[in-house]
Amino acid sequence: MEELIHIQKTFEKVNFIDKSVHNREFEDCIFKNCDFSNSDFSNNSFMDCEFIDCNLSLTKLIGVSLKSVEFTNCKLMGIQFHACNDFLFQVKFQDCILDYASFANKKMQKTLFINTSLKEVAFMGCDLTQSLFDNCNLQAAIFNETQLKEANFLTAYNYTIDPEYNPMRKARFSTDGIPGLLSKYDIKIQ
């Protein structure tokens, strides 16, 4: 990863714990079975990249560009995605652990979260219009001033969302999720 620009490369079993990589560009690259935990990736750019079976927990992403980046079976605990560059920010998560991450104030329309753990994730001020939360655990996730128009929560679970503070016109929920929308009223639904 010493070069400044990497195009169509595959990085496999890279162990880069507690290290720094700055000002690099990665385009159409694949990262497999890599450990980048506690690393500093500030000011890098990733476009059309895939991370598969990687650990990026607590990695610093200040000023990082994530343009059409997919994470599959990755551990991304405590990542501060809100520090990423907003321009063309687009991510997809499948079979990931995103617990304690922050997406505060990100525009994430049509984002796919599939079979992903999102415990205590901060979504304050996000635009999640038409996003999909398919079989996702949203235990203690924070939704405040979050745009949820047409978002799909049909198979999501353990969420608590206050409709008063989160616009959710045409959002989809299952009947099992109703308690998560009414919890502040302390009522029992049977």
Side-chain angles (χ1 to χ4, degrees), residues 43-47 61 63-67 69 84-85 87 89:
N43 300 310
N44 289 322
S45 176
F46 297 90
M47 184 175 359
L61 299 179
V64 168
S65 292
L66 295 176
K67 303 170 185 173
V69 177
C84 290
N85 189 330
F87 185 68
F89 181 83

Side-chain angles (χ1 to χ4, degrees), residues 74-124:
C74 291
K75 191 173 180 182
L76 301 135
M77 294 177 66
I79 300 271
Q80 304 298 304
F81 288 99
H82 67 262
C84 290
N85 189 330
D86 289 331
F87 185 68
L88 298 176
F89 181 83
Q90 184 182 7
V91 288
K92 174 188 174 185
F93 303 97
Q94 182 163 346
D95 301 311
C96 292
I97 300 172
L98 271 165
D99 301 344
Y100 316 108
S102 173
F103 291 99
N105 300 309
K106 294 308 271 181
K107 287 185 171 78
M108 302 174 62
Q109 298 177 346
K110 299 181 181 179
T111 299
L112 302 178
F113 297 94
I114 301 167
N115 297 322
T116 293
S117 179
L118 296 156
K119 295 178 187 172
E120 297 189 43
V121 171
F123 287 112
M124 295 97 57

